[in-house]
Amino acid sequence: MTSLTESNLVEHPRGAEPGKPGDRRAFSFEQITRLPDTADGKGRGGARYGRTGIIHTPHGDIHTPAFVPVATQAAMKAVLPETMKDLGAQCLLSNAFHLYERPGEQVLDEAGGLAKFMNWNGPTFTDSGGFQVLSLGAGFKKTLAMDVTGMKSDEVIAEGKERLAFVDEDGVTFKSPLNGSLHRFSAEISMGIQHKIGADIMFAFDELTTLMNTRGYQERSVERTYRWAQRCVAEHQRLTEERLGKPYQALYGVVQGANYEDLRRHAAEQIASLDFDGVGIGGAIEKRIIGDTCAWICDAMPESRPRHVLGIAAVDDIFACVENGGDTFDCVAPARCGRNGAIFTRSGRYNIKRAQFKHDFGPLEEGCTCYTCTHYSRAYVDHALRAREFNGFTLATIHNEHFFVKLLDDIRASIDGGYFDEFRDETLARFYANGSRG
């Protein structure tokens, strides 16, 4: 494995010079191969926006499409960053709200930024805190690619949850889930926090709604997110000029609009009109139209801007989003599912804690080259998870993260090699042959 000293990426990021603002030219997107358009392509004129490329950042390159594992609090639960690099991860995403709560953005700034703080040799992302508008407000942990039954309410809240976030025109007031203290986020505050955290790619502060919100609320929310986006761009530019000697941080705008085509297209045009470096495809998306939603947004986006799909890890959703323009994807599901015994394989997802695996001394997945599969058995991982030993969390997470990183690597190879459609069909048929979830 390449050491930090050898690579110099963390110690000496590109585009950072003492006494000067970060050089924006250190961030760019290079498109390599584009999927051919087809008669049934979901984009305008049959366009298929799927592509391979390279996102150049101050701390290194990301070859796309790529999966971005989530190190929520500047740490992958139970897995060291060196191990994440070994399993093939190119970049990590952390949560700005949680890092603001602890250890505080000032600590990361003093440490030299997120990558250096957590000893990660590569690019990093931070989300804006916008997800917490929903998770603390309505109480839902997962909203992307969801199925709905027609319920509409602007006061919707998950069963057994207390509303901990309150939205107004200027921003959001949060009640801390740690100690109940009140905190305030706005476009400017989010930008200030993310600049100090120091990730290579950060997101504009947005309002994440649920599919259960009314059409009227979705319309108002889209316009509010646009006004916040304008403020984020202005504050980002001010802080870039002010914080001398720091590497340039790319800012992505986030497109909302739930499952309404006209709102998604309108929001995409709004975000495309602003001086963002990339775009986040966010918000609650009905699973049946997740590919369409990506295409609607890409219709309005300059191809020079990379596109990140927030919170997606179902295998069929990933293929739909890649085909229609997604470049990078993040989700907590691989690690969270692994800690609970759900193992992803090319032949579907299964529960390692079933009784049948207690005496199974084969790998989690035949043919898998990850560290877990080449060193440990199903029986051992089953035992460690049942015993709540950290080893079990580590080994299951390594395998699941490797599965998604490798899946996106293989999708990237299929686009470059001209066999994406065949690879998609074969992979999905095999993964879902037995009705697997995910």
Side-chain angles (χ1 to χ4, degrees), residues 25-44:
R25 292 172 297 179
F27 181 90
S28 63
F29 176 74
E30 175 187 355
Q31 182 169 291
I32 305 297
T33 305
R34 166 89 180 265
L35 285 176
D37 297 345
T38 61
D40 58 353
K42 296 181 182 298
R44 191 170 288 120

Side-chain angles (χ1 to χ4, degrees), residues 8 18 126 145 156 205 228 281 324:
N8 284 328
T126 46
V156 64
F205 192 55
W228 289 357
I281 299 173
N324 292 285

Side-chain angles (χ1 to χ4, degrees), residues 66-70 93 144 203 308-313 328-332:
F67 187 73
V68 186
V70 179
L93 181 145
L144 294 180
F203 290 88
H308 182 86
V309 186
L310 291 143
I312 290 294
T328 50
F329 304 81
D330 77 274
C331 195
V332 299

Side-chain angles (χ1 to χ4, degrees), residues 99-100 103-113 192-193 196-197 243:
L99 292 177
Y100 155 78
E105 68 275 18
Q106 190 62 41
V107 173
L108 280 89
D109 199 21
E110 292 171 4
I193 291 169
K196 287 185 176 180
I197 292 173
R243 288 171 50 78

Side-chain angles (χ1 to χ4, degrees), residues 28 42 60 78-80 89 105 118 164 253 261 290 313 328 340 435:
S28 63
K42 296 181 182 298
V79 180
L80 290 172
E105 68 275 18
M118 63 177 170
L164 299 176
E261 179 177 354
I290 194 167
T328 50
N340 288 296

Side-chain angles (χ1 to χ4, degrees), residues 272-335:
S273 73
L274 300 177
D275 190 20
F276 284 114
D277 299 288
V279 61
I281 299 173
I285 304 174
E286 199 167 354
K287 188 177 181 73
R288 65 181 177 83
I289 56 169
I290 194 167
D292 302 77
T293 303
C294 289
W296 300 337
I297 292 167
C298 290
D299 275 343
M301 284 295 147
E303 292 206 345
S304 59
R305 296 185 188 181
R307 312 148 185 156
H308 182 86
V309 186
L310 291 143
I312 290 294
V315 173
D316 55 345
D317 292 340
I318 284 176
F319 273 99
C321 292
V322 166
E323 184 171 356
N324 292 285
D327 295 315
T328 50
F329 304 81
D330 77 274
C331 195
V332 299

